[in-house]
Amino acid sequence: MTSAWMRLAAVCLAVLAGLGVAAGFLWAVGTESYNFWGAAIVVPVVIALNVFLIRRVTRGADEPWLAGLLGTAYALKVVGALGRYFVAYIVYSGAADAQRYNLYAASRYKLWREGVITFEWGGKQGTQYMELITTALYTVIGPSPLAAFVIFASFAFWGQYFLFRAFRIALPDGNHKRYAALVLLLPSLLYWPSSIGKEAWLMFFVGVTALGAAYLFAHRPRAIPLLLLGAAGTALLRPHLAVLLFAALFVAQLFRPTAARSTGILSKVAGVVVLGAAAFVLTSQSASFLGIDDLSVQAVSERVDSASEQASEGNSSFESSPIQSPVDIPSAVVTVLFRPFPFEARNAQMLMQSLEGLLLLVLLVRAWPRIRRLPHLLRRNPYVTFCLVYAATFIWAFSGFGNFGILARQRVLMIPFFLILLALPEVSRWRAPDDRTVRELARARR
């Protein structure tokens, strides 16, 4: 009887949803704006496709809670995209980066449909590639920024899912449910990478890179293709972010524990050589992107300081504390991870960000018994080393940014790696595993 009522309720909800979509479509057509009636066609298709993919990846999953969590997270992600659209086009009247990409794409997509693909170089690499990506999307769906926001948000959603999968593979005894809830439902991750823009694109490829790293350290196939794809996607818009990721990979591989067998040592050496070469290539490209002639720490630091000064203007500006000596590290860590504090909030977005920072601080304090054993885990798990090295270098690079709005938007590309500290294995599970446990972990990694 209960099952019959549940099926009846599902049918009623489906009918109501269909009526709602139909009513929305009729209203959108009446507005005579393709932005709305085009979105009324595209968005339901995009949502249906993502629902299908969610059902596909959770089919046969060991975690019974995963399907419900992914469905809830995706629904909230769409809400985040609509919120981003409202703020960008209603609150700020189009004064946002998304509008630049939208206008560029709207003026050229018809030529692309005719096979005339033209573009001009002369600005920032990341911005220009983002304009081309948006134009390619409009060539398919038409000039609807509302639909594009939902599509980019969906793209970022799967990057967050890949980060969860990477955590599950790399830490089979970690708190998977907590990490999934944090990386999928954290407000900043629902909101910021959910619009036409670089953050959504980069979130997807950062997730691909993390999954490739987890595959690499677990000796799984497809690790190299995933890492190459992640490097290409991140380097396209921000080569210096790719440098941070692959430098962290290089360090993790360098300190990765190896078996006494010669094959294990050779595998480690080969990985160090390959990752070192990749990091060098990406660093060279990043130097060109940043406009510096040499790759010294001083040159990079000066360029970061210059960018920090430019990012320290506007209504959300504050006095930053870039890392110039070990004494500056605690302040920089607190700023990049947890600020603004509630008393520093000047608008609703900053207030939400400040509350999230307090939540993360509380969770960090509660996780302290597990974090105290972190050095032991670092010696055993190269993925944890990768995450912490990347988070540390990211904090160094962005410690001088004195604008809360820019900092909140940028750090969503680092927060998922910090979140592993909040979902480490329970202390009772850190003892040396017996043979049976080793076999179970090996099966879990397959």
Side-chain angles (χ1 to χ4, degrees):
M1 189 65 179
T2 303
S3 178
W5 277 109
M6 289 181 63
R7 286 197 296 269
L8 178 61
V11 170
C12 291
L13 287 174
V15 171
L16 289 175
L19 291 174
V21 170
F25 177 74
L26 290 174
W27 171 83
V29 171
T31 64
E32 297 183 356
S33 168
Y34 182 80
N35 179 34
F36 291 102
W37 68 262
I41 298 173
V42 173
V43 170
V45 174
V46 172
I47 291 175
L49 175 62
N50 281 276
V51 169
F52 168 77
L53 292 174
I54 288 171
R55 294 188 64 180
R56 183 72 179 270
V57 300
T58 56
R59 186 181 303 163
D62 295 333
E63 302 91 346
W65 46 264
L66 183 58
L69 181 60
L70 284 178
T72 302
Y74 183 70
L76 292 175
K77 193 70 172 175
V78 173
V79 172
L82 297 178
R84 282 281 273 153
Y85 179 87
F86 178 82
V87 171
Y89 284 94
I90 307 300
V91 177
Y92 293 144
S93 302
D97 291 342
Q99 178 66 345
R100 170 175 181 163
Y101 308 134
N102 168 58
L103 293 176
Y104 180 94
S107 67
R108 288 167 171 78
Y109 80 99
K110 289 184 178 179
L111 291 174
W112 281 41
R113 285 182 174 179
E114 296 170 0
V116 183
I117 301 178
T118 60
F119 45 87
E120 299 176 358
W121 297 109
K124 294 182 178 179
Q125 172 186 322
T127 298
Q128 291 191 317
Y129 276 120
M130 197 66 241
E131 291 171 345
L132 297 181
I133 292 167
T134 309
T135 305
L137 179 62
Y138 277 14
T139 303
V140 178
I141 69 168
S144 172
L146 182 56
F149 269 56
V150 175
I151 292 173
F152 273 95
S154 303
F155 204 59
F157 168 81
W158 288 106
Q160 292 166 247
Y161 169 73
F162 292 151
L163 284 157
F164 161 69
R165 279 195 59 191
F167 178 85
R168 186 173 60 179
I169 293 168
L171 286 151
D173 52 350
N175 193 327
H176 298 164
K177 190 172 184 178
R178 175 179 296 177
Y179 185 81
L182 288 171
V183 81
L184 291 168
L185 300 178
L186 204 64
S188 62
L189 294 172
L190 290 172
Y191 180 76
W192 288 112
S194 299
S195 70
I196 304 173
K198 301 170 188 173
E199 287 75 28
W201 175 273
L202 291 168
M203 180 61 74
F204 178 85
F205 286 102
V206 165
V208 170
T209 304
L211 185 58
Y215 274 28
L216 176 70
F217 297 137
H219 302 285
R220 287 194 177 189
R222 299 191 298 276
I224 299 302
L226 286 171
L227 290 174
L228 290 175
L229 180 61
T234 52
L236 190 67
L237 300 187
R238 286 191 184 148
H240 48 297
L241 186 68
V243 169
L244 297 183
L245 285 166
F246 277 80
L249 266 173
F250 175 78
V251 173
Q253 178 68 13
L254 186 64
F255 291 97
R256 175 182 184 176
T258 57
R261 299 188 306 270
S262 59
T263 54
I265 297 174
L266 289 175
S267 175
K268 177 177 179 177
V269 171
V272 167
V273 171
V274 171
L275 290 173
F280 178 79
V281 171
L282 290 169
T283 302
S284 301
Q285 185 179 359
S286 183
S288 175
F289 177 84
L290 295 172
I292 56 180
D293 296 327
D294 63 272
L295 305 177
S296 66
V297 173
Q298 180 179 359
V300 174
S301 180
E302 290 175 356
R303 185 64 185 90
V304 169
D305 290 342
S306 175
S308 302
E309 293 175 2
Q310 296 175 12
S312 301
E313 302 174 357
N315 295 330
S316 300
S317 62
F318 66 96
E319 186 175 350
S320 62
S321 53
I323 296 177
Q324 298 176 339
S325 69
V327 179
D328 302 320
I329 293 177
S331 175
V333 170
V334 170
T335 295
V336 175
L337 289 176
F338 307 116
R339 291 180 68 187
F341 298 125
F343 59 83
E344 297 175 308
R346 300 168 190 168
N347 54 48
Q349 290 172 289
M350 290 176 62
L351 179 60
M352 288 298 297
Q353 194 69 40
S354 68
L355 295 177
E356 178 181 296
L358 287 180
L359 172 64
L360 292 177
L361 192 56
V362 170
L363 292 176
L364 185 66
V365 172
R366 294 187 62 182
W368 183 247
R370 284 166 290 181
I371 295 174
R372 287 176 57 188
R373 301 291 303 275
L374 188 60
H376 174 66
L377 186 60
L378 287 173
R379 291 194 296 269
R380 296 169 46 198
N381 196 308
Y383 184 80
V384 176
T385 304
F386 160 65
C387 290
L388 294 188
V389 171
Y390 170 68
T393 54
F394 189 100
I395 290 171
W396 167 76
F398 286 87
S399 62
F401 280 59
N403 185 292
F404 286 130
I406 295 175
L407 191 58
R409 196 168 72 241
Q410 301 297 326
R411 69 181 170 198
V412 296
L413 301 172
M414 176 273 294
I415 284 293
F417 298 89
F418 162 76
L419 293 178
I420 68 163
L421 292 178
L422 310 181
L424 292 174
E426 298 291 341
V427 175
S428 59
R429 297 185 181 182
W430 289 33
R431 62 182 183 273
D434 54 24
D435 292 341
R436 181 179 177 183
T437 304
V438 170
R439 289 194 298 271
E440 290 176 352
L441 294 181
R443 283 197 298 269
R445 294 187 180 188
R446 289 172 189 166

